Every structure is written in C-alpha cells, then in structure tokens.
Amino acid sequence: MCQSCVSAASGLAPLHFCHCGTPETLAAMRRIEADISRRQMLGGMSAVVGMFAGFGLAPKQVRAQTPARPLLLTNLRLFDGTTLSMRDGVDILVEGGRIAALPAAGQGPEDAERIDCGGRAVIPGLIDTHWHATLCGVSQIAAMTQDIGLVHLISGREAGNALMRGFTTVRDVGGPAFGLQAAIDRGVVTGPRIFPSGAILSQTSGHGDFRFSNALPAMPSDPADYATRQGMTALADGVPEVLRRTREQLMKGASQIKISAGGGVASQYDPLESLQFRLDEMKAAVDCAADWGTYVCAHVYTSPGIRRCIEAGVKSIEHGQLADEDTVRMMADHGTWWSIQPFLQDEDANQYTDPKAVAAQTAVAEGTVRAFEMADKHKVNWAFGTDILYSGADSQGRQLAKLARYMSPLAALHRATGAAGEMLALSGARAPYQGRLGVIAPDALADLLVIDGDPEANLDWLADTANLRLILKGGRVFKNELAGDTI
C-alpha cells in the first residue's frame, strides 16, 4: 500500500494522490505477476525434468499418429481379447486414440499412415488387476524407512518398465499412486494407465497395519505412523472411522476402495486365517463407495472371510486361494469378481524363513491350482493379477505366461485383456479413463501389441520384451521395432 493510502487510513492528510487502483497500475502489476509466474513455472519445469532425467525417468520420445491422419495396422492376425480364436483378413484403423474400425484387409482409407505388421499377431494391451505401482520396485525396509521421494522416483522407473512389458493398464490396489498416475497422464513419465485405490483400509492389527508392537498402545495424541502419513495404508476401527478413511481416498481420486478382510502369508501379527473388519464396518465402506458409484475390493484368502465380504457387498475378492467349493459357488451366484494371482511357490515367489510363513505359502500355492479349476467349473468372473511387492517386478509377464499351464493360451490372455477390462468397468463413473479396455473393437481405447509369437500355441514369448515389436497406448506409439515396415 502506498504512503498516501497509509496516511488516508490513519486519518492523516494525504501527501499525494494515490495511483494504486488506477487501471494503468493494475495492468502493470498483472504483467509483472504473469512474468514472475512464467519464470517460476519454467524454472520448476526445468528442475522437475532435470530431476527425472538424472534418474533415468525423462519422458521417452513417443510418437502420436500424424494429426488429422488415421493410423492403419495391416497384414496381421488378430486376437480381440474376447473371442478365443485368432482372426485373419482384417486391418485395425486407429484415430483419435481409439479404434475407429476393423476394415477388411485392403479396405482401409487411402490417406492413412500404415504400419505393416508382417503377418504377426496383434493383441490388446495387457492389464494387471492386482498391482502395487509404488511398492513393486523397492524392498519392504526401503518402503517403510527411506525418503518417500526415492520411493516415488523408483515407482516412475518401474511404471515405464511395466509399459515396456506390454501392460498398458494396471489396477493399483494399495499405495500412494495418485501422483504417479498424474505424472503418467501428463506425460512427465511413461507408464500404464492406473486405476488407483489409494491407501489400503485396515483395522488395527490387520493386514495393512505396518507398525511394530513397540508402537502400542496407540493414543489419541500420537502422530500417524510413516505408512499412514505417506498414504500406503489407512487404519480404521469402527464405522465412523471406516467412513472417514473411505471418503478420504475417494476425495483423492480413488477409482475403487481396497480393504484388508483377512491375514497374509508373511504378516508378522495377523494370522492368515484371521477375520478382519466386522460386517458393519465392511458395509460402511461398501455403502460409501456405492454412494460415489464405485465398489470395494478385499484382500482375503479364506472361505469365512470371503463369505463375510460377499454378505457386505464387496465386488472383488483379491487372492481367495483357500476358498472351498461352496464359497466359490456363492461367488458365482452373487456375480462377485475374483482377482487370482499365480502364487506357485516357485522361483518367482517371495522367499521366507519363518516356518509359519513357509507353511502358509505352501497352502496358498496348492490352493492356486484349485482356484483356477473351481473358477472355471463354476463360471466365476475372474481376472489376472500379479501382486508383486518389494521386488521381482520383471516377472510380471512370466506370471501371466504361467496361466497357460492350466488353460489354453488364448483363455489365459483373455483373463488379462477382455475379462480384466470388464472388471475395471466396475468403477463406473469413477473410472479415470473413458472407453473400453482390454479389447480390440470399434470405439475401444487403442491399446495394442504386435508380437513375435503365436498366442494360440503358447505364452512363452511374454518372458522376453524383445518379442513385443510394437506397443500402442491410446493410439500413441511407445515402442516400434517395425519401423522398416511403416509406410
């Protein structure tokens, strides 16, 4: 405020006429503020890009189709994500990030940019329905003790790696993935689309309670623990707290809510068979999510826990390898989805020394085989997920390939494409992306993979990313080793 204004406000005689409010002065101030904001923005952008570049996370050159010019994939064999057979004699027309049409071979528009697929198979982009984007590339100790900036930078690197493995979409079921999602969507880093759950909702002593016993008893005045502060987990006891924590995740942009309804294999304090959250607490989360047009998914292994979840209205069971046949039949009757992971106690499994954890892991591995069989027998809606935590993210493709031991290769692919896309649609209006996923069909989002391999024969090609010759996500080319075939 100028001296004249101060004097006037003090009741003193003004020294001179005040020009603070004149149009000329205000216009000059706006120009100065705009220049300062522009400089701050450019400096901030340079710092961010420099930071990511130094960590190997600078956005890769991606090429969208030529503006106003459609893209036509030709000379291909097609798996559409739904029909369990390959289709010949069609091309794929991409326009505006979506699949515009599947014209007969040779019948596409003349002015289209063309990519000759060389007779290779084209499949939809893969979907992992049980992923932890911010926790898949660090150790558990690092996740719980290191600076959160490091955790997020590593998650950015792992997101790019997941996309290069052909996973164009993931459903994140626990962790602070909202920032990563925004960075990917804005092109700061590359990675798959993310359907985020936000923090895992857990009761005290539940599967999402990462505190040590020496932190007890918790008092009302105590600060939140590290995992809670960073958005990895949210502890809630009783209906009011469940409502609060659910609404917080929805406020952040959760596309679905994740709760822990039972124990885990390596959990230090909660036994695998333990039941977590009372029925009224579960219903509170379900009703709260439903008010926003979305649903709840639940970590749980055992039949009693699954039954309680179904009674509460939970729409997706995560894991569930210890379900008995009556419970699986109940899932089918209620239309409950099942996200099954190939937990097989093999070279890709987490290694444990605690006898209790080893015994639990063995039981889950045996249950995995039964789960695939019972899901097929009772026609349960189910989709593929990995649940890779703390290490081993590069096994993501191999995990999908393992499904071909229990079903045909195309049936296995269906669970990571068309079926997974149906599961994602449960998010309704809370889905972050509009359009069908996991299928090659008119008006679906143009997520496409051109592969070296025969998906009718086996899925061994998933073990080597070199077999992915072309990766499109939303019509953008993120990898193209068919450049010599592009017209």
mmCIF file of all heavy atoms in Angstrom, residues 11-12 37 69 79 120 129 157 176 187 222 233 257 264 278 295 301 306 308 312 316 350 383 427 441 453-454 476:
data_model
loop_
_atom_site.group_PDB
_atom_site.id
_atom_site.type_symbol
_atom_site.label_atom_id
_atom_site.label_comp_id
_atom_site.label_asym_id
_atom_site.label_seq_id
_atom_site.Cartn_x
_atom_site.Cartn_y
_atom_site.Cartn_z
ATOM 1 N N GLY A 11 -6.097 8.611 8.938
ATOM 2 C CA GLY A 11 -6.800 9.858 9.192
ATOM 3 C C GLY A 11 -5.942 11.080 8.984
ATOM 4 O O GLY A 11 -6.350 12.194 9.312
ATOM 5 N N LEU A 12 -4.686 10.868 8.475
ATOM 6 C CA LEU A 12 -3.788 11.991 8.221
ATOM 7 C C LEU A 12 -4.035 12.552 6.838
ATOM 8 O O LEU A 12 -4.583 11.888 5.958
ATOM 9 C CB LEU A 12 -2.325 11.531 8.343
ATOM 10 C CG LEU A 12 -1.923 10.957 9.709
ATOM 11 C CD1 LEU A 12 -0.500 10.432 9.647
ATOM 12 C CD2 LEU A 12 -2.073 12.015 10.800
ATOM 13 N N SER A 37 5.322 -15.520 -12.549
ATOM 14 C CA SER A 37 4.741 -16.865 -12.586
ATOM 15 C C SER A 37 5.332 -17.684 -13.710
ATOM 16 O O SER A 37 5.625 -18.873 -13.558
ATOM 17 C CB SER A 37 3.220 -16.773 -12.748
ATOM 18 O OG SER A 37 2.648 -16.129 -11.637
ATOM 19 N N ARG A 69 -4.587 -37.493 -39.390
ATOM 20 C CA ARG A 69 -4.309 -38.617 -40.279
ATOM 21 C C ARG A 69 -4.442 -39.916 -39.499
ATOM 22 O O ARG A 69 -3.707 -40.132 -38.530
ATOM 23 C CB ARG A 69 -2.908 -38.491 -40.880
ATOM 24 C CG ARG A 69 -2.637 -39.501 -41.991
ATOM 25 C CD ARG A 69 -1.230 -39.321 -42.537
ATOM 26 N NE ARG A 69 -0.938 -40.298 -43.575
ATOM 27 C CZ ARG A 69 0.275 -40.582 -44.019
ATOM 28 N NH1 ARG A 69 1.320 -39.951 -43.509
ATOM 29 N NH2 ARG A 69 0.461 -41.480 -44.969
ATOM 30 N N PHE A 79 -6.162 -61.162 -32.194
ATOM 31 C CA PHE A 79 -6.883 -61.686 -31.028
ATOM 32 C C PHE A 79 -7.586 -60.495 -30.404
ATOM 33 O O PHE A 79 -6.939 -59.531 -29.980
ATOM 34 C CB PHE A 79 -5.934 -62.338 -30.019
ATOM 35 C CG PHE A 79 -6.590 -62.666 -28.702
ATOM 36 C CD1 PHE A 79 -7.636 -63.584 -28.640
ATOM 37 C CD2 PHE A 79 -6.179 -62.052 -27.523
ATOM 38 C CE1 PHE A 79 -8.262 -63.870 -27.425
ATOM 39 C CE2 PHE A 79 -6.779 -62.337 -26.308
ATOM 40 C CZ PHE A 79 -7.824 -63.256 -26.263
ATOM 41 N N ARG A 120 2.286 -60.751 -38.259
ATOM 42 C CA ARG A 120 2.376 -61.068 -36.830
ATOM 43 C C ARG A 120 1.017 -60.968 -36.141
ATOM 44 O O ARG A 120 0.080 -60.390 -36.660
ATOM 45 C CB ARG A 120 3.363 -60.120 -36.149
ATOM 46 C CG ARG A 120 4.794 -60.254 -36.641
ATOM 47 C CD ARG A 120 5.692 -59.234 -35.947
ATOM 48 N NE ARG A 120 7.081 -59.362 -36.365
ATOM 49 C CZ ARG A 120 7.597 -58.768 -37.429
ATOM 50 N NH1 ARG A 120 6.825 -58.002 -38.212
ATOM 51 N NH2 ARG A 120 8.866 -58.934 -37.740
ATOM 52 N N THR A 129 -4.632 -56.657 -12.874
ATOM 53 C CA THR A 129 -5.694 -56.174 -11.983
ATOM 54 C C THR A 129 -5.301 -56.158 -10.507
ATOM 55 O O THR A 129 -6.109 -55.771 -9.661
ATOM 56 C CB THR A 129 -6.983 -57.005 -12.137
ATOM 57 O OG1 THR A 129 -6.753 -58.332 -11.645
ATOM 58 C CG2 THR A 129 -7.445 -57.046 -13.579
ATOM 59 N N ARG A 157 10.251 -45.237 -12.538
ATOM 60 C CA ARG A 157 11.041 -46.141 -13.382
ATOM 61 C C ARG A 157 10.296 -47.446 -13.641
ATOM 62 O O ARG A 157 10.242 -47.938 -14.778
ATOM 63 C CB ARG A 157 12.381 -46.435 -12.697
ATOM 64 C CG ARG A 157 13.287 -47.377 -13.486
ATOM 65 C CD ARG A 157 14.421 -47.887 -12.615
ATOM 66 N NE ARG A 157 13.934 -48.739 -11.528
ATOM 67 C CZ ARG A 157 14.685 -49.160 -10.524
ATOM 68 N NH1 ARG A 157 15.950 -48.768 -10.424
ATOM 69 N NH2 ARG A 157 14.172 -49.949 -9.584
ATOM 70 N N PRO A 176 0.429 -45.099 -2.437
ATOM 71 C CA PRO A 176 0.253 -43.694 -2.813
ATOM 72 C C PRO A 176 0.535 -43.462 -4.291
ATOM 73 O O PRO A 176 1.524 -42.816 -4.664
ATOM 74 C CB PRO A 176 1.270 -42.980 -1.925
ATOM 75 C CG PRO A 176 2.377 -43.981 -1.741
ATOM 76 C CD PRO A 176 1.701 -45.323 -1.703
ATOM 77 N N GLY A 187 2.283 -37.003 -19.091
ATOM 78 C CA GLY A 187 3.454 -37.206 -19.924
ATOM 79 C C GLY A 187 4.776 -36.887 -19.256
ATOM 80 O O GLY A 187 5.804 -36.800 -19.927
ATOM 81 N N ASP A 222 -1.122 -39.375 19.588
ATOM 82 C CA ASP A 222 0.049 -39.864 18.856
ATOM 83 C C ASP A 222 -0.028 -39.462 17.379
ATOM 84 O O ASP A 222 -1.104 -39.516 16.765
ATOM 85 C CB ASP A 222 0.137 -41.389 18.935
ATOM 86 C CG ASP A 222 0.520 -41.873 20.324
ATOM 87 O OD1 ASP A 222 0.977 -41.033 21.125
ATOM 88 O OD2 ASP A 222 0.361 -43.072 20.592
ATOM 89 N N THR A 233 -1.293 -46.954 3.778
ATOM 90 C CA THR A 233 -2.360 -47.638 4.499
ATOM 91 C C THR A 233 -3.153 -46.610 5.292
ATOM 92 O O THR A 233 -2.678 -45.492 5.531
ATOM 93 C CB THR A 233 -1.774 -48.701 5.443
ATOM 94 O OG1 THR A 233 -2.825 -49.486 6.008
ATOM 95 C CG2 THR A 233 -0.971 -48.068 6.551
ATOM 96 N N ILE A 257 -12.126 -48.862 -3.827
ATOM 97 C CA ILE A 257 -11.594 -48.884 -2.466
ATOM 98 C C ILE A 257 -11.076 -50.280 -2.156
ATOM 99 O O ILE A 257 -11.710 -51.280 -2.485
ATOM 100 C CB ILE A 257 -12.689 -48.482 -1.447
ATOM 101 C CG1 ILE A 257 -13.153 -47.042 -1.703
ATOM 102 C CG2 ILE A 257 -12.185 -48.652 -0.021
ATOM 103 C CD1 ILE A 257 -12.083 -45.990 -1.528
ATOM 104 N N GLY A 264 -2.378 -62.343 6.024
ATOM 105 C CA GLY A 264 -1.497 -62.575 4.888
ATOM 106 C C GLY A 264 -0.458 -63.629 5.172
ATOM 107 O O GLY A 264 -0.280 -64.070 6.310
ATOM 108 N N ARG A 278 -15.415 -56.068 11.009
ATOM 109 C CA ARG A 278 -16.741 -56.617 11.270
ATOM 110 C C ARG A 278 -17.627 -56.361 10.052
ATOM 111 O O ARG A 278 -17.321 -55.530 9.188
ATOM 112 C CB ARG A 278 -17.354 -55.950 12.501
ATOM 113 C CG ARG A 278 -16.583 -56.127 13.784
ATOM 114 C CD ARG A 278 -17.326 -55.455 14.944
ATOM 115 N NE ARG A 278 -17.963 -54.213 14.552
ATOM 116 C CZ ARG A 278 -17.872 -53.085 15.246
ATOM 117 N NH1 ARG A 278 -17.134 -53.036 16.342
ATOM 118 N NH2 ARG A 278 -18.519 -52.000 14.855
ATOM 119 N N TYR A 295 -16.904 -49.310 -6.106
ATOM 120 C CA TYR A 295 -17.007 -50.578 -5.372
ATOM 121 C C TYR A 295 -15.818 -50.792 -4.457
ATOM 122 O O TYR A 295 -14.844 -50.029 -4.463
ATOM 123 C CB TYR A 295 -17.108 -51.738 -6.364
ATOM 124 C CG TYR A 295 -15.818 -51.995 -7.141
ATOM 125 C CD1 TYR A 295 -14.962 -53.029 -6.777
ATOM 126 C CD2 TYR A 295 -15.449 -51.192 -8.220
ATOM 127 C CE1 TYR A 295 -13.778 -53.260 -7.464
ATOM 128 C CE2 TYR A 295 -14.277 -51.420 -8.923
ATOM 129 C CZ TYR A 295 -13.445 -52.452 -8.539
ATOM 130 O OH TYR A 295 -12.264 -52.666 -9.222
ATOM 131 N N TYR A 301 -8.129 -64.534 1.974
ATOM 132 C CA TYR A 301 -7.790 -65.857 1.455
ATOM 133 C C TYR A 301 -8.827 -66.930 1.771
ATOM 134 O O TYR A 301 -9.045 -67.843 0.981
ATOM 135 C CB TYR A 301 -6.441 -66.321 2.027
ATOM 136 C CG TYR A 301 -5.236 -65.698 1.379
ATOM 137 C CD1 TYR A 301 -4.586 -64.623 1.966
ATOM 138 C CD2 TYR A 301 -4.735 -66.187 0.181
ATOM 139 C CE1 TYR A 301 -3.480 -64.046 1.378
ATOM 140 C CE2 TYR A 301 -3.622 -65.622 -0.423
ATOM 141 C CZ TYR A 301 -3.003 -64.550 0.176
ATOM 142 O OH TYR A 301 -1.911 -63.973 -0.419
ATOM 143 N N ILE A 306 -14.194 -64.605 2.894
ATOM 144 C CA ILE A 306 -14.826 -64.330 1.592
ATOM 145 C C ILE A 306 -16.330 -64.224 1.749
ATOM 146 O O ILE A 306 -16.983 -63.338 1.176
ATOM 147 C CB ILE A 306 -14.454 -65.425 0.572
ATOM 148 C CG1 ILE A 306 -12.952 -65.394 0.279
ATOM 149 C CG2 ILE A 306 -15.253 -65.248 -0.720
ATOM 150 C CD1 ILE A 306 -12.456 -66.567 -0.542
ATOM 151 N N ARG A 308 -18.046 -63.346 4.389
ATOM 152 C CA ARG A 308 -18.388 -62.084 5.032
ATOM 153 C C ARG A 308 -18.305 -60.930 4.021
ATOM 154 O O ARG A 308 -19.160 -60.037 4.006
ATOM 155 C CB ARG A 308 -17.458 -61.811 6.219
ATOM 156 C CG ARG A 308 -17.787 -60.520 6.952
ATOM 157 C CD ARG A 308 -16.857 -60.275 8.128
ATOM 158 N NE ARG A 308 -17.076 -61.235 9.211
ATOM 159 C CZ ARG A 308 -16.416 -61.205 10.380
ATOM 160 N NH1 ARG A 308 -15.508 -60.254 10.595
ATOM 161 N NH2 ARG A 308 -16.669 -62.115 11.316
ATOM 162 N N ALA A 312 -21.358 -58.447 2.759
ATOM 163 C CA ALA A 312 -21.257 -56.993 2.894
ATOM 164 C C ALA A 312 -21.428 -56.273 1.566
ATOM 165 O O ALA A 312 -21.665 -55.064 1.550
ATOM 166 C CB ALA A 312 -19.917 -56.627 3.508
ATOM 167 N N SER A 316 -15.147 -57.535 -5.437
ATOM 168 C CA SER A 316 -13.976 -58.230 -5.979
ATOM 169 C C SER A 316 -13.153 -58.821 -4.853
ATOM 170 O O SER A 316 -12.762 -58.117 -3.920
ATOM 171 C CB SER A 316 -13.115 -57.256 -6.798
ATOM 172 O OG SER A 316 -11.924 -57.884 -7.227
ATOM 173 N N ASN A 350 8.149 -64.994 -3.293
ATOM 174 C CA ASN A 350 8.919 -64.426 -2.186
ATOM 175 C C ASN A 350 9.523 -65.555 -1.355
ATOM 176 O O ASN A 350 8.910 -66.621 -1.190
ATOM 177 C CB ASN A 350 8.028 -63.552 -1.306
ATOM 178 C CG ASN A 350 7.558 -62.299 -2.015
ATOM 179 O OD1 ASN A 350 8.241 -61.776 -2.878
ATOM 180 N ND2 ASN A 350 6.384 -61.819 -1.641
ATOM 181 N N ALA A 383 -10.188 -62.415 -13.176
ATOM 182 C CA ALA A 383 -9.195 -61.720 -13.986
ATOM 183 C C ALA A 383 -7.815 -61.938 -13.391
ATOM 184 O O ALA A 383 -7.655 -62.250 -12.203
ATOM 185 C CB ALA A 383 -9.519 -60.234 -14.071
ATOM 186 N N SER A 427 -15.747 -49.709 -11.855
ATOM 187 C CA SER A 427 -15.537 -48.382 -11.277
ATOM 188 C C SER A 427 -16.552 -47.361 -11.778
ATOM 189 O O SER A 427 -16.660 -46.270 -11.189
ATOM 190 C CB SER A 427 -14.117 -47.891 -11.590
ATOM 191 O OG SER A 427 -13.158 -48.661 -10.909
ATOM 192 N N ALA A 441 -11.836 -53.582 -30.572
ATOM 193 C CA ALA A 441 -13.194 -53.441 -31.092
ATOM 194 C C ALA A 441 -13.427 -51.966 -31.385
ATOM 195 O O ALA A 441 -12.778 -51.101 -30.789
ATOM 196 C CB ALA A 441 -14.215 -53.958 -30.073
ATOM 197 N N GLY A 453 5.447 -64.178 -31.878
ATOM 198 C CA GLY A 453 4.997 -65.344 -31.137
ATOM 199 C C GLY A 453 3.610 -65.731 -31.579
ATOM 200 O O GLY A 453 2.904 -64.925 -32.201
ATOM 201 N N ASP A 454 3.234 -66.946 -31.268
ATOM 202 C CA ASP A 454 1.911 -67.452 -31.636
ATOM 203 C C ASP A 454 1.083 -67.618 -30.367
ATOM 204 O O ASP A 454 1.262 -68.588 -29.631
ATOM 205 C CB ASP A 454 2.034 -68.788 -32.366
ATOM 206 C CG ASP A 454 0.684 -69.335 -32.817
ATOM 207 O OD1 ASP A 454 -0.348 -68.679 -32.555
ATOM 208 O OD2 ASP A 454 0.665 -70.416 -33.436
ATOM 209 N N ARG A 476 -0.924 -43.873 -29.137
ATOM 210 C CA ARG A 476 0.443 -43.354 -29.177
ATOM 211 C C ARG A 476 1.436 -44.511 -29.257
ATOM 212 O O ARG A 476 1.292 -45.512 -28.547
ATOM 213 C CB ARG A 476 0.746 -42.500 -27.945
ATOM 214 C CG ARG A 476 -0.090 -41.230 -27.861
ATOM 215 C CD ARG A 476 0.254 -40.424 -26.633
ATOM 216 N NE ARG A 476 1.605 -39.873 -26.719
ATOM 217 C CZ ARG A 476 1.890 -38.679 -27.254
ATOM 218 N NH1 ARG A 476 0.923 -37.952 -27.787
ATOM 219 N NH2 ARG A 476 3.124 -38.231 -27.270
#
